[in-house]
Amino acid sequence: MGRPLFYEILEKPATSCMIAICTVIWFYVQKKNIGYAQLGLSYETAIEGNHWRIITSAFSHISVIHLVFNMSALWSLGVVEQVGHMGLGVEFYLHYTLVLVVLSGVLVLGAYHILIQKFKLEYFRRVTAVGYSCVVFGWMTILSVKQPSSKLELFGFLSLPISFAPFESLILTSIIVPQASFLGHLSGIIVGYSIGWGLINGMDNYWAISMLGWIVLAFVFSLKRSGAFDLSFIEIEPLTDPSLPSVLASGNGRTLQMSALPLEGAELV
């Protein structure tokens, strides 16, 4: 007989919180009848300034099957929290989850940009990525580097050698679920290897909190600018006061002209 779930949750607090967050968001999205296209990440929406979608796309899921598959894999990967003696542990998990969420999303957009601009594949302009699988594949990869002898248990009956799990899962997912984001999963693997091999390192509480603060600030600013949701209670003050006269320098650098005319067509933020 296995251990009670309560003890498992206590040993995987960060993983349990991430699963709870994704589950609550899924229930909220279903209740409010919000389409994944309203939260997902695509090249077209990104160039329009909807950078907040890098975050919302990661924590949103299309269906309950999509949610269960990702959360089941994430739960198995929670072993990262239990091996603090190997330089991993809860803090490591929280620090680099932030990195995986942001960098995998940025990498996906970079891949879309190359495919669209260099190879003229306009199809990728409107492809919408959604789901936590970028982060799941990232942790799968990190674990394969840090603890190559372990196994990944999925759904309680499928066991994969962790050293091959990232690419086995990449191929298996692409076959079973044709609409799965190959580029999204591959981006998670690339960021995961960068962390596992130490190419991305040095994250501590200070940098994690600083990064989280900047993410929150950029998220709110981007969300406000996009107008996708009503954030009228948030005011972004302009950097200059248009009611004040502007100072214009003449070509010789010695004469100053004062202009009190309003700035038309210009938006200073």
Side-chain angles (χ1 to χ4, degrees):
M1 185 174 178
R3 299 184 64 195
L5 180 61
F6 175 75
Y7 293 107
E8 292 276 351
I9 291 173
L10 289 180
E11 291 181 351
K12 304 176 181 179
T15 301
S16 301
C17 286
M18 293 301 169
I19 291 173
I21 290 170
C22 289
T23 303
V24 168
I25 289 174
W26 184 82
F27 275 110
Y28 179 82
V29 167
Q30 296 301 311
K31 182 177 180 180
K32 296 295 183 179
N33 199 29
I34 301 173
Y36 75 90
Q38 294 175 260
L39 300 172
L41 178 66
S42 69
Y43 183 81
E44 200 166 60
T45 56
I47 60 176
E48 290 172 358
N50 297 318
H51 304 121
W52 52 271
R53 290 173 177 264
I54 291 176
I55 306 300
T56 59
S57 64
F59 292 94
S60 306
H61 292 82
I62 296 175
S63 65
V64 67
I65 296 176
H66 186 201
L67 175 71
V68 168
F69 186 86
N70 279 347
M71 295 305 101
S72 173
L74 186 64
W75 179 256
S76 299
L77 294 165
V79 67
V80 171
E81 298 184 66
Q82 300 171 311
V83 287
H85 61 281
M86 296 182 61
L88 302 178
V90 178
E91 286 189 3
F92 184 91
Y93 185 92
L94 291 172
H95 296 167
Y96 288 99
T97 289
L98 271 178
V99 175
L100 283 166
V101 168
V102 175
L103 288 191
S104 59
V106 171
L107 202 57
V108 167
L109 290 176
Y112 286 165
H113 179 78
I114 293 172
L115 290 170
I116 294 167
Q117 301 299 330
K118 299 296 182 181
F119 297 97
K120 309 302 179 185
L121 299 175
E122 290 296 317
Y123 163 77
F124 289 98
R125 187 177 294 275
R126 288 173 295 276
V127 171
T128 301
V130 62
Y132 203 69
S133 50
C134 285
V135 181
V136 169
F137 272 81
W139 279 120
M140 200 183 298
T141 305
I142 293 169
L143 200 58
S144 72
V145 174
K146 299 288 188 180
Q147 204 174 20
S149 61
S150 60
K151 290 184 178 292
L152 177 65
E153 303 290 338
L154 293 176
F155 305 112
F157 63 87
L158 182 61
S159 180
L160 299 174
I162 194 65
S163 55
F164 301 110
F167 292 103
E168 286 176 345
S169 299
L170 180 66
I171 296 170
L172 187 63
T173 305
S174 299
I175 294 173
I176 297 175
V177 188
Q179 67 269 33
S181 175
F182 181 87
L183 287 176
H185 297 167
L186 185 60
S187 296
I189 291 174
I190 292 171
V191 178
Y193 274 124
S194 299
I195 295 170
W197 290 336
L199 301 177
I200 299 174
N201 57 39
M203 284 290 286
D204 55 22
N205 289 336
Y206 171 79
W207 287 112
I209 293 171
S210 299
M211 184 178 179
L212 179 61
W214 281 110
I215 289 172
V216 171
L217 187 63
F219 179 87
V220 173
F221 183 77
S222 173
L223 196 60
K224 173 70 176 177
R225 286 292 304 273
S226 70
F229 297 93
D230 182 19
L231 298 178
S232 56
F233 59 92
I234 298 177
E235 293 294 336
I236 300 177
E237 296 292 335
L239 298 177
T240 59
D241 189 347
S243 66
L244 295 177
S246 59
V247 181
L248 303 175
S250 68
N252 57 21
R254 293 190 295 251
T255 307
L256 294 179
Q257 294 179 328
M258 302 297 292
S259 173
L261 294 176
L263 298 175
E264 296 183 1
E267 221 173 273
L268 305 175
V269 293

